Amino acid sequence: MEEILRIDHLYKRFEDMPVLKDINLTVNKGEVVVLVGPSGCGKSTLLRCINGLEDIQEGRVLLEGEVINPAGKTANKSRLKTGMVFQSYDLFPHKNILDNVILAPMKVQKRNRAEATEEALRMLDRVGLAERRDSYPRQLSGGQKQRVAIVRALMMHPEVLLFDEVTAALDPEMVHEVLNVILDLARQKRTMLIVTHEMAFAKAIADRIIFLDEGSIVEDSAPEKFFEAPETERARRFLSTFRYENVK
Amino acid sequence: MGFEVLFKGKNAIRLIAGLGIAMRISIISVAISIFLGIILGMLMSMKKPIINAIARVYLEIVRIMPQLVLLFIVFFGISKMTGLNLSAEASSIIVFSFWGTAEMADLVRGCLLSIPAIQYESSKALGMSRLQTYVYVIIPQIVRRLIPLSINLITRMIKTTSLVMMIGIVEVLKVGQQIIEANRKASPKAAFGIFAVIFLLYFLACWPISCLSRYLEKKWES
Amino acid sequence: MDPDILRSYIPMFSEAFLLTVRIGWIGILISLALGILCAFILYFRIPAASFLVKCYVELFRNTPLLVQLFFIYYGLPALGIRISAEVCGALGLGLLGGSYMTESIRSGLEAIPYIHTESALSLGMSRSQLFSSVILPQAFYISIPGIIANVIFLLKETSVFSAISLMDLMFRAKDLIGLYYNTTESLFLLVVFYVIMLLPVSVAGSVIEKKVRYRMFGD
């Protein structure tokens, strides 16, 4: 198994508030890791640290052996090893779907328009949105926007994909179409780190579940084990919030 | 630099009294504008076609006609047409109220229309009467948005009143010119000092009000 | 209203109209250039310059154009700084307008949600690419309504130019009223020419605003 991401003793503070405490984690190529935990546990911040959007106080993040340093000169280059999709619809509203997808390939990777367009249309087709190439983000549903955002991240050919609660702002019927796209990516053996509250989805897609609480990794186990027999009381309490008592 | 003329005789007091005239005109005009503007704004939000057509023409006139042109029309035109002898001060109050009412009405209408329908519906669902809905739900929200905007209208009104010198009212700029004229020999640089001071006086009159309006807007935003 | 008098006045008003429009639009161009520059200084929080821009904006937004023009045209010559009435008119309007444009453009720049910055960065864009292809185009669309309102406001403000003895429309009207008492005809032409100056801008402004709003927000 080839190691692709390594995090050593990562500490992150906002002002004086510790957000992440001594995070150690390695992810192998092709692995799908799902991060779960109560809100405010630091799981989104961890993804943002991997993407180099947050500066860290101690420790380091290594992608394919290269240190990610958000302040460094090469931050933009090394960041490209990861592709991130955010919770809110972050498509650029002044550009149509195709231009949203090919903007970064053209500006950052200096690819020519024709070639980028060709790949973009192929990828948009795969998520069922090729015919919407000329639409503007506002004309799309939330689920469609998130599918475009995934394609936009994929266009940069990242080694690792980061999904930060990508379905949290969606209507229930749209959650499915977005998660299906991510399942498709798992079948292609993409390396992914996913933050989500969709427990059924986590169970279906994850090779590993990481449970964070109060800024630390509390459990790191296979999904079957985590959902059937969690080791810690904290994980049991977290999982119980998804169950309801029958009152009839 | 020409500031010395300020300390001669009652020059400084005369200047400030000149600004006082401008302030008096603007405060009266703002009061009339707010009163009439709220009424017109409420009428406009009822979406009656005839009222809206008239209001649109009125707002467009105010939108594209310089206040000074309106001032000329009222001051020179009305007396010519009707034989009525309107004083310059009365003319300016009429014009500034005409302008301010349009501005205010547009703000009131915008505020009323921006209250989401769900608020009326949920008030109804809670069993409130129409009057109760307005008194407890709608008006408190509108007032919070309207107060900063009306305060802002005051500063714009004060700035606009500088125009009244163009129809012969002796306000701060005119007093300034008189002082400069009277001291042409003794203080040749008076023009700089006087106009710099008037610049500053207007700033001191408007700036704190602008700050207050911005502060309230921020405070009540959430 | 006497049609013969109207006809004989039209050439004089046309001349004054062209002068007013010319100086007005030069002033507007100055105000746009100044507004863009100052808004960038504020947006990038350039030290010292930011402070100066803030002072300038507050000073010019809180004083009337008439007072600004008096200070520049009658006040500065006392210190030996003398500029022509035309330059003074354009410059004064440009300075006043610049302070308004700065606010419109700055608020446009700051209205872009931070998530766009983050997603552009996470796509590997540099700061300058982020600014030129994500922030700036969006800010432009958002600023448009404010800029249009400022243009209309500034064109209306040209009416005070007569105070610094520019022979503009107001000057012409007042002059003819004083000389011949043809008040009705003079005021009528004054209104007609201001309508010609502003109505097309107002209508075009509304059309552009609608288009831009549709492009950005889809309603």
Side-chain angles (χ1 to χ4, degrees):
Chain A
M1 280 279 213
E2 192 190 335
E3 176 186 305
I4 189 160
L5 168 72
R6 177 182 198 91
I7 298 173
D8 290 333
H9 302 291
L10 182 146
Y11 285 83
K12 164 80 190 163
R13 282 181 291 272
F14 283 125
E15 318 265 292
D16 281 333
M17 247 251 301
V19 186
L20 293 172
K21 293 175 265 190
D22 195 23
I23 301 288
N24 293 285
L25 178 69
T26 55
V27 175
N28 292 323
K29 206 172 170 116
E31 223 178 351
V32 177
V33 177
V34 174
L35 303 161
V36 298
S39 44
C41 69
K43 52 195 193 299
S44 288
T45 309
L46 181 56
L47 281 197
R48 296 162 61 85
C49 290
I50 298 169
N51 195 225
L53 286 172
E54 302 280 349
D55 53 341
I56 57 180
Q57 276 68 46
E58 278 173 57
R60 55 183 192 163
V61 177
L62 291 159
L63 270 162
E64 292 187 310
E66 192 182 324
V67 177
I68 300 287
N69 174 10
K73 273 252 187 295
T74 57
N76 289 325
K77 284 265 147 34
S78 53
R79 183 182 277 139
L80 285 181
K81 290 185 191 294
T82 58
M84 180 129 170
V85 184
F86 298 84
Q87 173 185 338
S88 51
Y89 322 127
D90 56 321
L91 297 181
F92 305 128
H94 62 299
K95 296 209 175 285
N96 67 26
I97 299 312
L98 181 65
D99 285 338
N100 255 286
V101 172
I102 63 174
L103 178 69
M106 281 167 38
K107 296 276 174 190
V108 179
Q109 297 174 328
K110 313 286 179 208
R111 289 157 66 181
N112 74 49
R113 193 180 180 92
E115 182 268 326
T117 304
E118 198 203 303
E119 186 186 356
L121 290 178
R122 212 167 49 232
M123 294 233 237
L124 284 171
D125 191 40
R126 190 149 184 161
V127 300
L129 289 170
E131 76 282 8
R132 305 305 301 267
R133 53 180 288 182
D134 295 322
S135 304
Y136 280 86
R138 60 185 155 74
Q139 297 165 319
L140 267 51
S141 72
Q144 290 173 325
K145 279 190 258 197
Q146 285 301 63
R147 282 186 277 160
V148 174
I150 294 171
V151 168
R152 191 174 66 173
L154 286 173
M155 282 294 287
M156 307 304 284
H157 307 142
E159 297 292 332
V160 179
L161 284 164
L162 308 170
F163 292 95
D164 186 7
E165 297 194 36
V166 287
T167 59
L170 295 182
D171 290 340
E173 63 268 34
M174 290 172 184
V175 170
H176 206 66
E177 64 185 52
V178 174
L179 296 185
N180 272 332
V181 170
I182 302 176
L183 282 170
D184 187 39
L185 294 170
R187 275 182 219 112
Q188 297 167 37
K189 295 282 166 240
R190 297 267 193 173
T191 316
M192 297 192 272
L193 275 83
I194 302 169
V195 169
T196 185
H197 284 294
E198 302 285 335
M199 289 304 142
F201 170 69
K203 213 174 193 169
I205 200 171
D207 295 317
R208 266 162 80 193
I209 300 277
I210 297 210
F211 173 63
L212 279 119
D213 194 18
E214 292 176 358
S216 310
I217 295 180
V218 180
E219 290 200 30
D220 180 350
S221 52
E224 303 74 29
K225 181 164 183 296
F226 178 75
F227 288 109
E228 303 310 325
E231 281 168 18
T232 58
E233 177 55 34
R234 279 200 272 181
R236 271 192 289 278
R237 219 180 311 130
F238 171 71
L239 286 170
S240 75
T241 60
F242 294 91
R243 281 194 294 272
Y244 294 94
E245 234 173 275
N246 207 332
V247 290
K248 277 181 289 195
Chain B
M1 298 278 268
F3 291 109
E4 67 282 352
V5 277
L6 282 171
F7 306 106
K8 261 172 63 182
K10 289 182 179 166
N11 283 351
I13 294 166
R14 282 178 62 202
L15 271 184
I16 291 169
L19 190 65
I21 291 172
M23 297 286 257
R24 187 176 69 211
I25 294 174
S26 35
I27 286 166
I28 296 172
S29 308
V30 166
I32 298 173
S33 302
I34 289 177
F35 178 71
L36 294 178
I38 288 175
I39 295 174
L40 182 61
M42 283 166 74
L43 287 175
M44 279 158 71
S45 74
M46 289 175 182
K47 299 183 177 168
K48 296 269 191 303
I50 302 166
I51 298 174
N52 272 22
I54 298 169
R56 270 189 71 165
V57 174
Y58 169 43
L59 290 192
E60 190 61 20
I61 291 173
V62 171
R63 184 170 136 101
I64 68 170
M65 265 307 124
Q67 288 94 313
L68 191 55
V69 173
L70 298 174
L71 210 50
F72 268 42
I73 292 172
V74 172
F75 185 62
F76 295 114
I78 301 270
S79 56
K80 165 94 179 187
M81 273 184 275
T82 62
L84 207 74
N85 219 338
L86 270 180
S87 74
E89 193 166 329
S91 308
S92 49
I93 290 174
I94 291 171
V95 167
F96 296 151
S97 305
F98 180 78
W99 165 68
T101 300
E103 296 271 329
M104 202 62 207
D106 207 25
L107 296 177
V108 171
R109 188 197 54 143
C111 284
L112 280 170
L113 293 182
S114 73
I115 305 270
I118 186 81
Q119 303 228 355
Y120 293 92
E121 287 163 8
S122 54
S123 307
K124 213 183 231 172
L126 289 168
M128 286 195 214
S129 70
R130 219 182 146 76
L131 183 69
Q132 285 170 325
T133 306
Y134 270 96
V135 171
Y136 298 115
V137 183
I138 309 299
I139 292 175
Q141 293 185 61
I142 291 178
V143 164
R144 288 196 157 198
R145 301 184 54 179
L146 227 45
I147 286 178
L149 297 170
S150 356
I151 293 175
N152 196 33
L153 186 65
I154 299 176
T155 67
R156 293 171 59 205
M157 197 65 91
I158 294 174
K159 286 185 284 176
T160 310
T161 49
S162 63
L163 299 177
V164 300
M165 75 157 294
M166 309 280 272
I167 55 166
I169 294 181
V170 181
E171 45 65 79
V172 58
L173 275 171
K174 204 83 205 164
V175 172
Q177 281 179 324
Q178 291 168 354
I179 295 173
I180 294 161
E181 210 48 54
N183 296 280
R184 192 156 287 279
K185 290 250 165 57
S187 316
K189 286 182 179 165
F192 178 81
I194 293 291
F195 288 130
V197 166
I198 293 175
F199 205 125
L200 196 70
L201 279 178
Y202 263 105
F203 178 72
L204 290 178
C206 294
W207 189 57
I209 306 176
S210 297
C211 291
L212 176 68
S213 141
R214 234 175 321 182
Y215 166 76
L216 291 177
E217 205 170 342
K218 250 198 196 125
K219 191 178 149 193
W220 288 339
E221 208 170 29
S222 40
Chain C
M1 224 181 302
D2 188 334
D4 289 333
I5 296 178
L6 275 184
R7 217 169 295 135
S8 67
Y9 281 5
I10 284 177
M12 283 185 274
F13 270 95
S14 305
E15 203 183 315
F17 172 77
L18 291 177
L19 177 98
T20 313
V21 168
R22 191 179 77 234
I23 300 178
W25 278 100
I26 293 173
I28 288 168
L29 291 181
I30 295 174
S31 75
L32 268 172
L34 201 57
I36 292 170
L37 178 74
C38 292
F40 280 16
I41 289 173
L42 290 178
Y43 182 73
F44 291 111
R45 299 197 165 82
I46 298 170
S50 277
F51 176 74
L52 289 177
V53 167
K54 273 182 199 155
C55 293
Y56 153 66
V57 169
E58 290 299 322
L59 194 61
F60 277 79
R61 277 180 71 100
N62 285 296
T63 45
L65 177 62
L66 195 56
V67 172
Q68 294 162 11
L69 290 177
F70 266 66
F71 177 72
I72 299 172
Y73 191 69
Y74 299 110
L76 290 184
L79 296 187
I81 305 163
R82 206 171 297 271
I83 49 178
S84 75
E86 289 200 12
V87 173
C88 175
L91 188 70
L93 198 66
L95 283 169
L96 170 80
S99 67
Y100 282 82
M101 294 293 186
T102 302
E103 281 299 287
S104 304
I105 298 167
R106 181 198 58 83
S107 62
L109 287 169
E110 283 172 7
I112 317 294
Y114 190 65
I115 184 78
H116 292 310
T117 299
E118 292 197 324
S119 49
L121 287 178
S122 93
L123 287 167
M125 290 193 204
S126 66
R127 287 272 164 191
S128 61
Q129 284 168 338
L130 157 72
F131 189 69
S132 66
S133 43
V134 176
I135 307 281
L136 208 52
Q138 287 192 65
F140 174 72
Y141 289 130
I142 297 175
S143 309
I144 281 285
I147 291 174
I148 292 172
N150 291 344
V151 167
I152 291 171
F153 162 71
L154 292 172
L155 283 176
K156 285 162 72 181
E157 288 285 295
T158 59
S159 61
V160 306
F161 282 167
S162 61
I164 52 167
S165 63
L166 272 171
M167 289 192 240
D168 72 337
L169 287 168
M170 297 305 300
F171 182 92
R172 200 39 87 195
K174 199 172 182 179
D175 198 34
L176 292 171
I177 292 171
L179 281 175
Y180 307 112
Y181 299 104
N182 291 322
T183 314
T184 321
E185 290 81 3
S186 303
L187 289 177
F188 177 73
L189 285 175
L190 178 67
V191 169
V192 167
F193 276 97
Y194 263 106
V195 169
I196 295 173
M197 189 189 310
L198 278 142
L199 195 59
V201 179
S202 172
V203 172
S206 303
V207 173
I208 294 171
E209 231 170 272
K210 258 191 202 122
K211 281 209 163 136
V212 165
R213 192 179 319 158
Y214 181 75
R215 182 86 195 270
M216 277 299 280
F217 309 108
D219 56 4

